[in-house]
Amino acid sequence: MNKANGNVYSLHNRVKLVHGGGEYFRQMEEMIDAAKYSIHLQVYIFDEDETGNRIADALIRARKREVSVYLIVDGYASQRISTAFVSRLIDAGIHFSYFEQVFRTRYFYIGRRMHSKVIVIDEAKAMVGGINISNRYNDIDNIPAWMDWAIYVEGDTAGDLHKECIYLWDNSILRPKYIPVKTDWTAFTVKEECLVRVRKNDWVKRRTEITKSYREMFKQAHSYITIMSGYFWPARRLLKKMANASKRGVKIKLILAGRSDISVAKHAERYMYRWLFRNNIEIYEYQDSVLHGKIAVYDDRWVTGGSYNVNNISAFASIEMNLDVKDKDFAKTVDAKLQEVIDSHCIQVTSANYENGYNFLQRSRQTISYWVVHIIFRLFTFYFRQEKYKG
């Protein structure tokens, strides 16, 4: 099958939903320790802290078993890791590289960052989510991790993700090309049937598959849509499709941050609440910690999850990776988990308590923040042109 366009679902897969925090990092370490042939890890933030050292140690253990390890971290978000830390990885035989530094002068790609978070083991097991490698995404010292999710998959889709990782390494990294690793596929056969497809956004390379998935969701839903997004300020075109779905009678619930690590983004987000209320869209703000999750489900039939926030940065700037899963059982599981978050960990924001909760000055700050965010977006994600995608 041709996976380059991101439209083809692979059939033979086994999937499960993985919660962020300790569950996610236990799963990742188990995957790394079970690797026999190859590991691809691509992540936006890799911090040199307890969690980062734990994963680094696991990767080094894999190299001692002669597993081929390729690690890419974003050149901006992971710039704080020390030279000594990087040297320890390279000296162990790990293929390490940054995804571009802050500037890329040839095409002025100042805002194009590798925001995806994916790990692929032996071309057979993979995990895609929104979780970075840092203590704040883990359960450390009884402090709850930032709320997030990942989708674990075994089977055909892991092979597709393996190809995506090789493509990024070979086309974006100033390192020697990927060296193929011989893998025993007979040990990784999955007989279960679950439709999964890899979706990628990289506007510069003319890939907008995740944005298209969200548009398809708003067009095809008949009953309900539930979206969790840590940083929510979508483009007008997507808002229009959301409004159209609501007018058809689709019940739309948004799980958004109650508190954010980027206060101006949260103020800008709240500026849109009045529009959402007018379109009968329900808003729930998560209370327990910083909300960082990016996942959506509709009609007990379909789920998308990964690194893509429903905003313009994910749509037009960052490199993002999601998995779309078309499976009733999995969709019901995700819907139940999100409903439990709403029931037990959120406060509903209504038109009445919004008007009573924010005075004129606070709403003015929200308006200013909204336009500041848009100006910053324009300044830091301007590109002279798109490149031709070579899939």
Side-chain angles (χ1 to χ4, degrees):
M1 295 184 206
N2 178 16
K3 303 300 191 298
N5 60 16
N7 291 322
V8 179
Y9 283 91
S10 60
L11 178 61
H12 293 287
N13 298 286
R14 184 185 301 121
V15 299
K16 71 174 180 179
L17 184 67
V18 180
H19 195 280
E23 180 180 338
Y24 176 81
F25 288 103
R26 285 191 295 272
Q27 179 71 58
M28 177 177 281
E29 191 169 11
E30 288 174 8
M31 292 169 69
I32 293 171
D33 285 339
K36 296 181 179 180
Y37 304 103
S38 66
I39 298 170
H40 283 272
L41 176 56
Q42 298 177 359
V43 65
Y44 183 59
I45 297 172
F46 199 126
D47 277 346
E48 189 178 350
D49 55 16
E50 181 179 343
T51 301
N53 278 288
R54 172 183 169 186
I55 299 304
D57 289 344
L59 295 173
I60 291 170
R61 290 197 300 271
R63 276 301 304 143
K64 291 179 179 178
R65 302 193 306 273
E66 298 187 354
V67 176
S68 179
V69 180
Y70 287 80
L71 171 60
I72 306 176
V73 303
D74 186 72
Y76 169 73
S78 298
Q79 60 183 304
R80 291 178 296 180
I81 56 178
S82 68
T83 303
F85 183 82
V86 174
S87 295
R88 185 163 72 96
L89 296 172
I90 294 174
D91 290 346
I94 293 171
H95 301 281
F96 173 89
S97 189
Y98 290 100
F99 176 83
E100 301 180 358
Q101 300 302 318
V102 177
F103 293 95
R104 176 175 170 173
T105 55
R106 184 181 178 190
Y107 297 114
F108 198 52
Y109 291 170
I110 188 172
R112 181 173 178 256
R113 310 284 5 128
M114 188 197 72
H115 192 245
S116 52
K117 296 95 176 173
V118 56
I119 181 169
V120 185
I121 306 295
D122 295 339
E123 305 180 44
K125 304 174 184 178
M127 198 159 51
V128 174
I131 305 161
N132 292 297
I133 298 176
S134 173
N135 281 351
R136 59 184 177 271
Y137 302 92
N138 202 355
D139 299 310
I140 300 291
D141 297 330
N142 296 317
I143 300 173
W146 289 11
M147 161 58 77
D148 218 325
W149 304 96
I151 298 175
Y152 171 85
V153 60
E154 296 179 8
D156 294 343
T157 299
D160 299 338
L161 287 165
H162 179 82
K163 294 173 186 175
E164 291 286 358
C165 289
I166 294 172
Y167 174 84
L168 187 67
W169 182 274
D170 281 349
N171 290 275
S172 301
I173 304 302
L174 300 176
R175 297 287 183 189
K177 297 293 184 180
Y178 172 76
I179 302 172
V181 178
K182 187 176 181 180
T183 303
D184 180 11
W185 279 95
T186 60
F188 302 120
T189 303
V190 172
K191 296 181 179 180
E192 289 94 327
E193 294 185 358
C194 177
L195 292 172
V196 185
R197 65 180 176 181
V198 177
R199 301 294 262 176
K200 189 171 182 179
N201 252 57
D202 186 357
W203 187 87
V204 170
K205 300 293 184 180
R206 299 183 180 273
R207 296 187 69 175
T208 57
E209 297 153 9
I210 308 174
T211 303
K212 290 175 182 176
S213 285
Y214 272 88
R215 291 174 186 164
E216 290 172 7
M217 176 179 68
F218 288 123
K219 182 178 179 180
Q220 296 173 4
H222 296 288
S223 177
Y224 78 89
I225 297 170
T226 303
I227 300 171
M228 175 183 283
S229 181
Y231 311 95
F232 180 86
W233 37 278
R236 291 182 180 179
R237 185 177 177 183
L238 202 62
L239 286 172
K240 184 177 181 180
K241 291 186 178 295
M242 187 184 301
N244 289 339
S246 181
K247 289 175 183 177
R248 295 198 314 271
V250 178
K251 186 174 183 178
I252 302 176
K253 298 179 182 179
L254 299 179
I255 306 172
L256 306 178
R259 53 191 174 97
S260 176
D261 59 314
I262 307 174
S263 59
V264 67
K266 186 62 217 180
H267 294 318
E269 194 175 88
R270 288 192 174 117
Y271 169 80
M272 295 186 295
Y273 280 11
R274 286 181 170 180
W275 182 93
L276 295 168
F277 296 142
R278 289 196 300 270
N279 286 277
N280 299 312
I281 295 167
E282 298 179 10
I283 302 170
Y284 300 88
E285 290 189 346
Y286 183 75
Q287 300 297 303
D288 292 4
S289 62
V290 173
L291 177 68
H292 196 255
K294 314 105 170 38
I295 194 166
V297 58
Y298 81 89
D299 289 358
D300 286 351
R301 59 173 293 188
W302 183 92
V303 174
T304 189
S307 66
Y308 181 94
N309 286 294
V310 186
N311 63 32
N312 284 331
I313 291 177
S314 285
F316 299 109
S318 302
I319 297 175
E320 308 284 4
M321 186 79 74
N322 269 31
L323 294 181
D324 289 355
V325 182
K326 188 184 291 187
D327 181 84
K328 290 183 179 180
D329 290 338
F330 186 69
K332 288 179 179 179
T333 295
V334 172
D335 179 55
K337 291 288 187 181
L338 294 183
Q339 189 58 50
E340 193 275 331
V341 170
I342 289 172
D343 294 340
S344 302
H345 307 281
C346 291
I347 293 175
Q348 184 173 6
V349 182
T350 64
S351 179
N353 63 33
Y354 174 81
E355 296 297 339
N356 293 330
Y358 298 99
N359 59 35
F360 173 77
L361 290 177
Q362 290 171 318
R363 289 197 294 270
S364 296
R365 180 172 62 177
Q366 293 167 7
T367 303
I368 294 169
S369 296
Y370 178 82
W371 290 109
V372 166
V373 166
H374 275 267
I375 291 169
I376 292 173
F377 167 75
R378 293 295 180 186
L379 288 175
F380 286 91
T381 61
F382 173 77
Y383 310 118
F384 288 133
R385 65 181 176 86
Q386 290 177 297
E387 293 181 3
K388 183 177 179 181
Y389 171 61
K390 300 177 181 178

